[in-house]
Amino acid sequence: MIQTIQNSGAVQSLLVRYRLAIYILGLFAISAPIVLDRFGISVSSEIRTVIVLASLFVMVLTYVAERQSFERADEEPTRKQNYSRQARTAIAFALIGVAIGGYVWFTIDPVTGLLFVLGALLFVRIAYAGSIR
C-alpha cells in the first residue's frame, strides 16, 4: 500500500514535470488523424476516437496532478488562485468540451463543432462568474 502511494507520487511528479510536452503531444495526437486525412491517408473513426479519448485522459490526469502539486506548494499568497473545487472541476470539463468541439468541428460538422465550443466557453464563463461571488 505504501509503495503504491509512493509510486503515485512519482507518477504525479513526472506528469507535472513534463506537463507542457504532454499537452502539446496530446494536441498533436488529436490533430494528427485530421492532418493525415487531408493528405489522403485514412484513419478509421474507431482509431480516432481511441486517440482522442486516450489523449484527453492523459491531459486531464496531468491537469489534476498539476493542480494538486501547486496546492501543496508553498506559494506566495498573492500568486495562489482561490478558485473553489467546483469552479476548477467546471473549468476542466469546459476545456474537455473545447477539445471535443474542435474535434467535431474538423471531423464531423463545423457548425456543430462551433456550437459545442461556444457552449463550453459559456460554461467556463459561468464557472468563473460563480467563483468570484
Side-chain angles (χ1 to χ4, degrees):
M1 175 80 173
I2 294 173
Q3 188 172 2
T4 305
I5 293 171
Q6 289 173 346
N7 288 342
S8 68
V11 170
Q12 179 180 353
S13 174
L14 187 67
L15 288 173
V16 171
R17 186 177 310 129
Y18 296 108
R19 66 185 180 270
L20 185 59
I22 291 170
Y23 293 140
I24 290 172
L25 287 174
L27 292 174
F28 176 75
I30 290 171
S31 62
I34 300 167
V35 172
L36 289 173
D37 198 35
R38 301 259 190 240
F39 288 109
I41 301 170
S42 180
V43 179
S44 71
S45 63
E46 293 85 10
I47 293 176
R48 286 183 184 190
T49 302
V50 168
I51 290 171
V52 169
L53 291 177
S55 298
L56 288 176
F57 180 74
V58 172
M59 291 167 79
V60 167
L61 280 179
T62 303
Y63 174 76
V64 169
E66 184 179 0
R67 293 303 304 173
Q68 287 180 349
S69 174
F70 290 144
E71 284 177 0
R72 290 186 201 142
D74 294 327
E75 295 181 339
E76 297 175 11
T78 56
R79 292 186 61 204
K80 189 173 183 180
Q81 300 201 3
N82 295 321
Y83 296 116
S84 69
R85 185 175 305 275
Q86 278 183 319
R88 290 190 306 247
T89 303
I91 291 166
F93 280 114
L95 291 173
I96 291 170
V98 168
I100 292 172
Y103 178 76
V104 170
W105 183 335
F106 288 111
T107 60
I108 299 172
D109 181 38
V111 175
T112 305
L114 178 64
L115 290 175
F116 209 100
V117 168
L118 290 176
L121 292 176
L122 181 62
F123 189 71
V124 80
R125 179 182 161 98
I126 292 170
Y128 272 122
S131 68
I132 293 173
R133 293 181 191 165

